[in-house]
Amino acid sequence: MSRFRSLWQASLDATKKALTWNVEDLMPPTERLIFNFSSREEVKKWHLYSDSEYGGLSSASLEIIDEGNGLKGVFSGNLSLDVAEGSRWNISRSGFCGMRSKKFDGFIDLDAYDTIALKLKGDGRSYISTIYTENWVNSPGQMEDNSWQAFVFVPKDNWYIAKIPLARYLPTWRGNVIDASMEMNPSRILGMSLSVNAGGGIPGARSGPGDFKVELDWIKAFRTE
């Protein structure tokens, strides 16, 4: 086939495809998978943090295990209110651990979605879901990302899909809610995290120092409207 005929055929095929498009083809899917904990490679996408970085004694781990029904992520550890003797840090709050995703290659755009969903099985504690966006709330030039947080109650011993509207995420700075009217820019998301602290969160949830454990299947974005 000549070069001209090849170009003509490609143009004709594209035209035919365009004529068969409908509104659904122009819309993004109703859900988007962000993280899937069914692979041991998933661990490489996350890093752990805790008050131990500042002299605290809390600890955490993230593993991908198979309990007979497929691979799942397990975020677990121990929350301690104690501080290491002789610590050079003067921390005002201890008893927290978290798992934070490494930064995406650029941004992920979730502007077409309105809800974050997590499939998990927990221990009755209240966890904190955090979304990190490009810095525009804090001082320009700072390396610290903007953070938006919402509580997630994880019922004990049963798989549960927690759905959190993006509108429910509040702007925070170093764990404190910013008392101002601001909107998240979901088209410029840098990463996410899941954390837990001994101070609790949602009334009725288990709180205090001690062990914690939450199993994770996936994290997705949904469009509900």
Side-chain angles (χ1 to χ4, degrees), residues 62-126:
L62 175 62
E63 303 173 285
I64 304 297
I65 64 172
D66 187 349
E67 295 186 338
N69 57 348
L71 296 175
K72 300 290 186 295
V74 178
F75 173 50
S76 61
N78 181 269
L79 300 174
S80 173
L81 300 179
D82 297 326
V83 177
E85 185 176 350
S87 172
R88 65 187 181 90
W89 298 96
N90 183 22
I91 59 174
S92 60
R93 180 177 59 185
S94 59
F96 64 87
C97 294
M99 50 180 277
R100 176 171 176 170
S101 69
K102 296 177 181 178
K103 285 193 175 183
F104 301 118
D105 184 14
F107 305 95
I108 64 168
D109 184 353
L110 298 182
D111 194 42
Y113 305 92
D114 55 44
T115 300
I116 296 296
L118 306 89
K119 184 177 180 182
L120 29 70
K121 181 170 70 171
D123 52 7
R125 285 187 181 271
S126 176

Side-chain angles (χ1 to χ4, degrees), residues 4 31 75 79 101 104 108 153 164 166 171 201 211 219 225:
F4 174 79
E31 66 178 65
F75 173 50
L79 300 174
S101 69
F104 301 118
I108 64 168
F153 173 65
I164 314 167
L166 288 177
D211 294 339
I219 299 175
E225 298 180 356

Side-chain angles (χ1 to χ4, degrees), residues 151-214:
F151 283 115
V152 184
F153 173 65
V154 186
K156 186 177 180 180
D157 298 333
N158 291 308
W159 283 103
Y160 172 73
I161 297 178
K163 294 183 178 180
I164 314 167
L166 288 177
R168 219 176 81 195
Y169 282 84
L170 299 177
T172 63
W173 186 69
R174 298 183 180 179
N176 297 309
V177 174
I178 298 174
D179 187 15
S181 179
M182 292 180 288
E183 290 186 7
M184 180 195 304
N185 181 0
S187 66
R188 308 285 281 183
I189 292 177
L190 297 168
M192 297 182 174
S193 74
L194 187 68
S195 59
V196 60
N197 66 67
I202 296 176
R206 178 186 164 203
S207 62
D211 294 339
F212 69 89
K213 178 182 177 181
V214 61

